[in-house]
Amino acid sequence: MDQRAFQDLYPDELSYCYGCGRLNEHGLQIKSYWDGDETIATFLPKPYHIAIPGYVYGGLVASLMDCHATGTAAAAAYRAAGREMGSEPALRFVTASLHVDYERPTPLGVPLEVRGRVTEIKGRKVVVRATVSAEGQVCARGEVVAVQMPEHMTPRK
Amino acid sequence: MDQRAFQDLYPDELSYCYGCGRLNEHGLQIKSYWDGDETIATFLPKPYHIAIPGYVYGGLVASLMDCHATGTAAAAAYRAAGREMGSEPALRFVTASLHVDYERPTPLGVPLEVRGRVTEIKGRKVVVRATVSAEGQVCARGEVVAVQMPEHMTPRK
């Protein structure tokens, strides 16, 4: 079983994303993996990822869901096609819409668990439901509609 | 007319937010202002706020909307109460839900204009619609449901 993260299998030119690009030294470098039919990522926020003292910034929670979900979409699309992740041509997804419900404040200082589950996969579209939990409690739930990257969005030189 | 940003009028202990806290040296330090009945913020992403080369990371777009909208909610609540922003007791809002539709890729390297408009203000809840535009074109539209900060969310020491 391949223990590399989804994001470590993106082609180099698509690996600069602030949220999950392994080549973005300033970024969050989120790493997502299969866990059965779900996907999982863990992330320890930095002390400065603060909202009000003691709690995690909501924009970070949204960012974690976003990148984990587009990674999940890519992994699911490869799996649905019976292809090995990372094989060419690359299947890479962007976010069409993002919805986050903040159910309780997310405590700062503990690892966050991000989970994803594909609820729809049709044509170029993959819908992913995600949660962000801390200390075993779900703090936020979200849904991301991811679409396969359009041709005109290939990297702008 | 007070030309200070909404966020510059938050009390010190609520000014560490990664998105908009003036006291968070690592953060985005978003600054929002009234523009008639709308609110406006401008933000120039850093080169590392990249999604794929040439475009802005969607999590940043969501973060800009989030902090601009909670700032807008606070400003609108003060205005509705006929109070000067920053007067005690502080009216400070957190995000209950965030929805973003990414309508077109957001180009990197140009200033982004974030606009907010209050569509509902009722009790402790304020709903804000927001757009993020670049070069005169709307790139993303969103809606934030903001609620006045509950007592139990006061800063955790």
Side-chain angles (χ1 to χ4, degrees), chain B residues 98-153:
Chain B
L98 166 69
H99 183 92
V100 184
D101 289 311
Y102 297 92
E103 298 194 348
R104 72 185 73 232
T106 305
L108 188 63
V110 297
L112 303 182
E113 184 179 283
V114 192
R115 286 197 163 265
R117 177 179 284 277
V118 173
T119 57
E120 186 184 340
I121 177 164
K122 189 177 179 183
R124 298 174 72 90
K125 183 175 90 167
V126 179
V127 181
V128 178
R129 286 190 187 273
T131 56
V132 171
S133 303
E135 300 172 322
Q137 281 202 310
V138 173
C139 300
R141 293 179 196 275
E143 184 177 89
V144 171
V145 178
V147 291
Q148 204 179 324
M149 202 169 73
E151 296 305 315
H152 68 266
M153 258 196 86

Side-chain angles (χ1 to χ4, degrees), chain B residues 11 33 39 46 52 55 63 79 84 88 90 95 97 101 104 110 124 129 141 146 152 154-155:
Chain B
Y33 304 87
T39 55
K46 303 281 188 196
I52 64 168
Y55 299 104
S63 298
R79 190 179 260 196
E84 192 176 346
E88 296 289 341
T95 306
S97 74
D101 289 311
R104 72 185 73 232
V110 297
R124 298 174 72 90
R129 286 190 187 273
R141 293 179 196 275
H152 68 266
T154 47

Side-chain angles (χ1 to χ4, degrees), chain A residues 54-112:
Chain A
Y55 300 104
V56 175
Y57 174 53
L60 180 75
V61 171
S63 297
L64 295 175
M65 286 196 186
D66 185 7
C67 278
H68 182 65
T70 50
T72 295
Y78 274 108
R79 190 178 259 194
R83 290 175 50 192
E84 191 175 347
M85 188 153 187
S87 62
E88 297 286 340
L91 296 175
R92 180 79 163 89
F93 285 71
V94 293
T95 307
S97 74
L98 166 68
H99 184 91
V100 184
D101 288 313
Y102 297 92
E103 297 194 349
R104 73 184 73 230
T106 305
L108 188 64
V110 298
L112 304 182

Side-chain angles (χ1 to χ4, degrees), chain B residues 6-136:
Chain B
F6 302 159
Q7 294 86 0
D8 289 338
L9 298 165
Y10 291 170
D12 282 1
E13 73 270 21
L14 301 178
S15 294
Y16 291 94
C17 174
Y18 180 77
C20 63
R22 68 179 182 281
L23 303 177
N24 189 328
E25 62 182 319
H26 300 284
L28 306 175
Q29 303 211 358
I30 296 165
K31 305 285 185 194
S32 305
Y33 304 87
W34 282 114
D35 181 25
D37 285 338
E38 292 193 353
T39 55
I40 187 169
T42 56
F43 186 83
L44 181 63
K46 303 281 188 196
Y48 53 75
H49 286 137
I50 187 176
I52 64 168
Y55 299 104
V56 174
Y57 173 52
L60 179 74
V61 171
S63 298
L64 294 176
M65 283 195 188
D66 185 6
C67 279
H68 182 63
T70 49
T72 296
Y78 275 107
R79 190 179 260 196
R83 290 176 49 194
E84 192 176 346
M85 188 154 187
S87 62
E88 296 289 341
L91 297 174
R92 179 81 162 87
F93 285 72
V94 294
T95 306
S97 74
L98 166 69
H99 183 92
V100 184
D101 289 311
Y102 297 92
E103 298 194 348
R104 72 185 73 232
T106 305
L108 188 63
V110 297
L112 303 182
E113 184 179 283
V114 192
R115 286 197 163 265
R117 177 179 284 277
V118 173
T119 57
E120 186 184 340
I121 177 164
K122 189 177 179 183
R124 298 174 72 90
K125 183 175 90 167
V126 179
V127 181
V128 178
R129 286 190 187 273
T131 56
V132 171
S133 303
E135 300 172 322

